[in-house]
Amino acid sequence: GNSVTQMEGPVTLSEEAFLTINCTYTATGYPSLFWYVQYPGEGLQLLLKATKADDKGSNKGFEATYRKETTSFHLEKGSVQVSDSAVYFCALSDPGANSKLTFGKGITLSVRP
Amino acid sequence: EAGVAQSPRYKIIEKRQSVAFWCNPISGHATLYWYQQILGQGPKLLIQFQNNGVVDDSQLPKDRFSAERLKGVDSTLKIQPAKLEDSAVYLCASSSPGTTGTDTQYFGPGTRLTVL
């Protein structure tokens, strides 16, 4: 079956530090990959996505590249801000499984001023 | 464009009571999903509707959970009777088919259920 594995958290960084959050997946088909973010007290929001191998998704300074050879979709940002403090979820959508989302456990990011 | 609406935002009940959650998807979105998010975990799909038909309910505990989507718009998720382990955030999401065949799902704010 499909699964998503995220690195263990939480992660605490100082403002302007470089961020990498690891995500690897297992899928039987050709999934699309997503990063969702959940800010305190809010619902899940789509941060970025990639629909095929070697695609790069980007938004708000965040980037992730769909790597089929390593089955990975790591999230990166060059300089984090306090406002980036949130929970980040990696997810995949398998068109062969009615496009339902399979999520990782999520990781909490805290950014200190 | 209005987002996915859910109510109530919070609910506290005692075990063995019943509870219902409501969801109004984004206008025009044919697909509606209910997810359960237990604290410290990622959301898990409970049920998926396409218009008013069920596409996937394989992870819905059907002995206590039920859901319906009358007229292919609003949806209601019910738990009867509730157990302590049902304490979670219940998320509703909706989507419409994209040109790549990948449906981007848009989530509501969720209903936080506490079962005492």
Side-chain angles (χ1 to χ4, degrees):
Chain A
N2 297 331
S3 66
V4 175
T5 302
Q6 291 186 235
M7 60 184 279
E8 293 291 326
V11 173
T12 302
L13 295 173
S14 296
E15 204 165 23
E16 299 183 1
F18 182 85
L19 169 71
T20 299
I21 300 177
N22 290 342
C23 171
T24 57
Y25 68 90
T26 302
T28 53
Y30 299 93
S32 294
L33 302 174
F34 302 81
W35 278 99
Y36 278 85
V37 60
Q38 192 168 34
Y39 297 104
E42 299 184 17
L44 281 168
Q45 301 176 25
L46 178 65
L47 181 59
L48 53 84
K49 70 177 185 181
T51 58
K52 61 183 186 296
D54 299 325
D55 268 4
K56 177 186 284 187
S58 61
N59 186 26
K60 299 182 180 180
F62 291 89
E63 292 183 340
T65 301
Y66 189 145
R67 301 286 188 199
K68 189 178 178 190
E69 63 276 13
T70 55
T71 62
S72 65
F73 193 55
H74 304 322
L75 182 68
E76 296 183 336
K77 187 174 185 181
S79 175
V80 294
Q81 305 301 312
V82 173
S83 57
D84 294 327
S85 297
V87 182
Y88 292 81
F89 293 91
C90 185
L92 70 82
S93 172
D94 186 350
N98 297 312
S99 296
K100 74 176 185 182
L101 284 171
T102 300
F103 284 89
K105 287 187 174 181
I107 186 169
T108 300
L109 170 66
S110 298
V111 181
R112 302 180 299 223
Chain B
E1 179 181 76
V4 177
Q6 289 188 248
S7 68
R9 292 294 309 275
Y10 305 92
K11 189 74 177 178
I12 300 174
I13 61 173
E14 297 194 349
K15 60 184 179 183
R16 292 187 289 273
Q17 288 187 321
S18 61
V19 65
F21 313 126
W22 174 81
C23 172
N24 181 244
I26 293 173
S27 178
H29 280 192
T31 310
L32 186 147
Y33 311 80
W34 283 102
Y35 289 85
Q36 180 191 57
Q37 185 179 12
I38 293 173
L39 186 65
Q41 299 181 20
K44 180 186 79 172
L45 180 70
L46 291 176
I47 189 167
Q48 176 182 348
F49 291 96
Q50 180 76 20
N51 296 309
N52 60 348
V54 175
V55 173
D56 184 349
D57 63 357
S58 58
Q59 298 195 81
L60 186 74
K62 298 180 186 64
D63 58 332
R64 298 185 299 105
F65 286 65
S66 64
E68 60 182 9
R69 190 182 184 197
L70 300 177
K71 301 181 181 178
V73 182
D74 293 6
S75 178
T76 302
L77 176 70
K78 297 180 181 178
I79 308 175
Q80 181 178 12
K83 292 185 175 181
L84 296 177
E85 59 261 36
D86 298 332
S87 295
V89 176
Y90 291 85
L91 298 167
C92 180
S94 69
S95 70
S96 64
T99 54
T100 62
T102 300
D103 302 352
T104 295
Q105 296 182 28
Y106 297 89
F107 285 80
T111 297
R112 182 177 297 277
L113 173 67
T114 302
V115 182
L116 302 176

